[in-house]
Amino acid sequence: MKTQLAVIVAMAENRVIGRDGTLPWHLSADLKRFRAITTGHWIVMGRKTYESIGRPLPNRTTVVISRQTDYAPPGVLVAGSLAAALEMAADQERVFVVGGEQIYRQALPLASTIYLTRVQATVAGDRFFPAWDSAAWRVVQQSDHSADEKNDYPSSFEVLERVCQPEEPDETSVVSNPFSHRS
Ligand SMILES: NC(=O)c1ccc[n+]([C@@H]2O[C@H](COP(=O)([O-])OP(=O)(O)OC[C@H]3O[C@@H](n4cnc5c(N)ncnc54)[C@H](OP(=O)(O)O)[C@@H]3O)[C@@H](O)[C@H]2O)c1
């Protein structure tokens, strides 16, 4: 079985995804979407995103990526690299990379799906989602959501599928590539 990598992110019009270690908005509909999509699956995140959430999310297996060899918060798995995290999840049909910026940058070239929430606002922030080649992706689902008392901004929920195969991870990686040589 080949594990598919999906990225899930909420991004403002200026590509902002975070500010001061947290989300720069409250979007209840987006949190519900995140829960519905990721529940029952493995989620992979950077150490800073994990600390901003502060706990393992229920009904998911959480893998936290850190270079700290003694990092071991309870209730999560810790991996020393994205490749190591994906190796741990190699028996999963699909894994979700859930941020933040550092991990998205490493994961996007390997991803076959992006669950994107376009936050329809320009928002001040210090973390950004990387640009992607729009010719390499097509939007297969889209729905709009209004702002209201539980949602700071209007947003658009999109699912993007990669038109061609994602890149293979770097073969010089110290950990074997879970995406190759699987049938
Ligand atoms: N809008 C969204 O959808 C969304 C989603 C998630 C997060 N965010 C936001 O994004 C921000 C956090 O993003 P960030 O870029 O600062 O941090 P991050 O990607 O969450 O975590 C960075 C940490 O991951 C570890 N790491 C990164 N690359 C590694 C590698 N190759 N090998 C081993 N460990 C590695 C390092 O941990 P150590 O320092 O422990 O070694 C690094 O400090 C927050 O503001 C958060 O709210 C937004």
Side-chain angles (χ1 to χ4, degrees), residues 8-11 16-25 30 45-50 52 65-68 71 79-82 98-104 106 126-127:
I8 182 163
V9 61
M11 177 186 84
V16 161
I17 62 164
R19 182 172 65 227
D20 299 333
T22 188
L23 296 175
W25 46 66
D30 180 57
M45 67 183 77
R47 191 263 305 163
K48 292 184 181 174
T49 293
Y50 177 69
S52 118
I65 302 177
S66 172
R67 294 187 180 87
Q68 301 171 52
Y71 191 69
S81 65
L82 176 62
V98 304
E101 177 180 331
Q102 289 186 33
I103 303 303
Y104 286 140
Q106 296 166 58
D126 53 22
R127 292 294 183 275

Side-chain angles (χ1 to χ4, degrees), residues 3-84:
T3 305
Q4 287 201 317
L5 195 157
V7 163
I8 182 163
V9 61
M11 177 186 84
E13 286 170 353
N14 55 343
R15 313 199 77 82
V16 161
I17 62 164
R19 182 172 65 227
D20 299 333
T22 188
L23 296 175
W25 46 66
H26 182 71
L27 296 168
S28 174
D30 180 57
L31 297 177
K32 273 172 80 175
R33 181 194 195 217
F34 179 90
R35 187 169 63 238
I37 291 170
T38 61
T39 289
H41 295 284
W42 286 47
I43 55 175
V44 174
M45 67 183 77
R47 191 263 305 163
K48 292 184 181 174
T49 293
Y50 177 69
E51 291 190 350
S52 118
I53 298 169
R55 65 194 162 91
L57 292 174
N59 306 316
R60 279 147 282 195
T61 299
T62 300
V63 185
V64 180
I65 302 177
S66 172
R67 294 187 180 87
Q68 301 171 52
T69 51
D70 57 351
Y71 191 69
V76 302
L77 302 170
V78 178
S81 65
L82 176 62

Side-chain angles (χ1 to χ4, degrees), residues 77-126:
L77 302 170
V78 178
S81 65
L82 176 62
L86 298 177
E87 183 66 29
M88 288 165 132
D91 65 347
Q92 300 295 303
E93 200 171 316
R94 167 170 277 206
V95 298
F96 291 89
V97 168
V98 304
E101 177 180 331
Q102 289 186 33
I103 303 303
Y104 286 140
R105 286 190 185 283
Q106 296 166 58
L108 189 58
L110 313 178
S112 52
T113 308
I114 305 172
Y115 291 88
L116 172 66
T117 298
R118 287 190 188 274
V119 181
Q120 289 163 357
T122 297
V123 177
D126 53 22

Side-chain angles (χ1 to χ4, degrees), residues 94-179:
R94 167 170 277 206
V95 298
F96 291 89
V97 168
V98 304
E101 177 180 331
Q102 289 186 33
I103 303 303
Y104 286 140
R105 286 190 185 283
Q106 296 166 58
L108 189 58
L110 313 178
S112 52
T113 308
I114 305 172
Y115 291 88
L116 172 66
T117 298
R118 287 190 188 274
V119 181
Q120 289 163 357
T122 297
V123 177
D126 53 22
R127 292 294 183 275
F128 299 85
F129 193 73
W132 64 85
D133 174 8
S134 57
W137 294 87
R138 69 193 160 102
V139 178
V140 296
Q141 276 181 41
Q142 196 265 339
S143 60
D144 291 325
H145 295 266
S146 309
D148 57 28
E149 69 281 358
K150 292 184 174 174
N151 294 276
D152 292 345
Y153 304 109
S155 60
S156 169
F157 293 167
E158 296 183 4
V159 180
L160 286 76
E161 297 284 357
R162 191 185 281 279
V163 175
C164 44
Q165 287 297 305
E167 277 177 27
E168 293 291 326
D170 183 356
E171 285 178 9
T172 60
S173 166
V174 290
V175 177
S176 66
N177 165 19
F179 291 101

